């Protein structure tokens, strides 16, 4: 009798344990399901925003193609102007598609980082020569102060693109006649790069969103209609994959400084 009761008690205990385990599994499954749904929603949002951004240059291109096929131009000058607009739309789409692919690679950790010793002086000089025309076109004076012999272990292409994005932004978001200053120096065991401009600044209320995907501040959109809002998101991922930090200081209407701190001897 005693053993029967004992056996019954044992079975009840086991049932109780199994029930607890099932509840835990159920909770874990619900949580995983919620995470999958959130991921699915964010992917849909990503595709929807990307498609909307591609639609504008594609529509422009379609219209220009129509004009070309019907030859509705006043003269050769107008024709050449439309062809140049078509080229700009195409460039815009290529840049957007490249940014989208980069975001996907970084998020899915498919992006390959190749760490080698790079010389920051050489890298910034190369970027400056690439952005000089953009600065000239907007009458922006470019000043550069780089400490010589500043080396670090990093992915050369990714750091090049990151610095280019920061300098291009500084030029884009500064009105004619302004100044953009780039400095690079060594600070303890890190390299500090600062891109400072005398531009439009970032509104206080929108600062927390600056490194999020597709975000563009209202004042920036007014001044410069073209932009994906992906550059700084990519920049932050790249800096973090180098064990570094990126941040900014800004006063609306006066200017912005972006800071990048990269450890010299980081290994992935
Ligand atoms: P994009 O320049 O294509 O819009 P980014 O991701 O590079 O995308 O920048 C996101 C937003 O951050 C910009 O749209 C702008 O609102 C703001 N921003 C970036 N750099 C500056 C700057 N130097 N001055 C003012 N606003 C800036």
């Amino acid at each position: 009798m005693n053993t029967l009761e004992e056996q019954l008690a044992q079975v009840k205990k086991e049932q109780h344990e199994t029930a607890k385990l099932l509840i835990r599994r159920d909770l874990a499954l619900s949580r995983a399901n919620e995470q999958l749904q959130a991921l699915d929603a964010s992917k849909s949002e990503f595709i929807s925003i990307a498609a909307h951004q591609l639609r504008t240059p594609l529509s422009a291109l379609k219209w220009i193609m129509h004009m070309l096929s019907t030859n509705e131009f006043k003269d050769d000058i107008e024709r050449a102007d439309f062809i140049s607009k078509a080229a700009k739309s195409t460039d815009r789409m290529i840049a957007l598609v490249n940014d989208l692919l980069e975001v996907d690679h970084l998020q899915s950790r498919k992006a390959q980082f190749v760490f080698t010793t790079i010389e920051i002086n050489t890298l910034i000089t190369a970027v400056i020569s690439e952005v000089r025309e953009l600065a000239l076109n907007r009458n922006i004076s470019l000043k550069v102060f780089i400490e010589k012999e500043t080396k670090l272990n990093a992915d050369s292409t990714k750091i090049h693109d990151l610095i280019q994005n920061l300098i291009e932004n500084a030029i884009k978001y500064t009105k004619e006649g302004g100044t953009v200053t780039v400095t690079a120096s060594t600070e303890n065991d890190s390299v500090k790069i600062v891109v400072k401009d005398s531009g439009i600044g970032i509104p206080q209320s929108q600062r927390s969103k600056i490194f999020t995907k597709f975000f563009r501040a209202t004042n920036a959109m007014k001044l410069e209609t073209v932009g994906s809002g992906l550059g700084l998101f990519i920049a932050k991922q790249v800096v973090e994959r180098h064990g570094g930090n990126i941040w900014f200081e800004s006063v609306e209407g006066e200017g912005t400084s972006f800071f990048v701190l990269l450890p010299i001897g980081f290994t992935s």
Side-chain angles (χ1 to χ4, degrees):
M1 187 67 188
N2 211 4
T3 25
L4 244 179
E5 267 173 15
E6 271 169 22
Q7 276 174 358
L8 203 62
Q10 180 63 24
V11 169
K12 272 191 179 163
K13 199 175 155 208
E14 279 168 13
Q15 268 182 344
H16 188 66
E17 287 303 316
T18 314
K20 275 206 312 209
L21 193 74
L22 280 174
I23 290 171
R24 272 206 299 273
R25 289 256 163 90
D26 193 36
L27 267 173
L29 271 175
S30 300
R31 235 174 272 138
N33 196 24
E34 273 167 25
Q35 278 168 354
L36 277 175
Q37 276 178 3
L39 195 69
D40 197 36
S42 90
K43 284 210 161 164
S44 300
E45 189 197 30
F46 182 77
I47 290 167
S48 157
I49 300 176
H52 272 97
Q53 289 216 7
L54 277 170
R55 200 155 58 178
T56 313
L58 268 176
S59 303
L61 210 56
K62 187 180 170 194
W63 182 63
I64 295 165
M65 296 295 235
H66 168 78
M67 296 281 286
L68 282 170
S69 65
T70 52
N71 213 359
E72 291 170 31
F73 304 106
K74 250 192 346 240
D75 49 29
D76 280 355
I77 298 172
E78 194 181 64
R79 190 168 196 275
D81 186 44
F82 272 84
I83 291 174
S84 138
K85 281 192 180 117
K88 278 194 189 127
S89 280
T90 314
D91 285 346
R92 213 173 129 189
M93 284 190 288
I94 293 171
L96 181 59
V97 168
N98 284 340
D99 279 353
L100 290 168
L101 285 173
E102 185 70 6
V103 166
D104 180 50
H105 281 176
L106 286 163
Q107 284 194 310
S108 59
R109 296 231 141 215
K110 276 185 284 193
Q112 298 283 330
F113 280 66
V114 183
F115 284 81
T116 53
T117 304
I118 65 165
E119 222 281 297
I120 213 74
N121 194 345
T122 320
L123 208 85
I124 295 182
T125 308
V127 175
I128 294 290
S129 69
E130 285 158 31
V131 299
R132 202 169 283 288
E133 202 182 319
L134 182 67
L136 263 174
N137 289 343
R138 298 180 74 109
N139 191 24
I140 305 279
S141 122
L142 260 180
K143 295 181 180 164
V144 187
F145 303 97
I146 320 169
E147 226 175 61
K148 284 208 171 77
E149 297 286 314
T150 309
K151 292 190 175 130
L152 77 150
N153 199 33
D155 182 304
S156 173
T157 313
K158 299 262 191 286
I159 298 298
H160 170 281
D161 293 352
L162 156 83
I163 296 170
Q164 181 165 6
N165 182 250
L166 294 182
I167 302 179
E168 278 180 0
N169 276 352
I171 297 171
K172 264 190 340 193
Y173 302 121
T174 296
K175 290 189 180 138
E176 290 223 349
T179 309
V180 170
T181 313
V182 183
T183 46
S185 55
T186 320
E187 218 171 70
N188 302 322
D189 292 333
S190 298
V191 170
K192 189 178 191 182
I193 303 158
V194 185
V195 181
K196 181 177 192 285
D197 65 57
S198 61
I200 57 171
I202 299 167
Q204 178 83 44
S205 60
Q206 297 174 18
R207 285 185 198 162
S208 59
K209 298 196 192 122
I210 276 303
F211 292 106
T212 59
K213 249 180 292 170
F214 297 113
F215 181 76
R216 305 195 68 216
T218 39
N219 61 344
M221 283 196 282
K222 245 185 249 160
L223 181 73
E224 173 66 62
T225 47
V226 177
S228 68
L230 291 173
L232 287 181
F233 174 81
I234 294 171
K236 193 167 163 61
Q237 311 290 313
V238 166
V239 169
E240 284 171 359
R241 292 280 289 269
H242 282 80
N245 255 315
I246 180 167
W247 71 99
F248 64 89
E249 287 168 7
S250 185
V251 178
E252 201 178 350
E254 287 184 22
T256 306
S257 293
F258 272 89
F259 302 86
V260 175
L261 198 64
L262 297 167
I264 289 172
F266 184 74
T267 44
S268 57

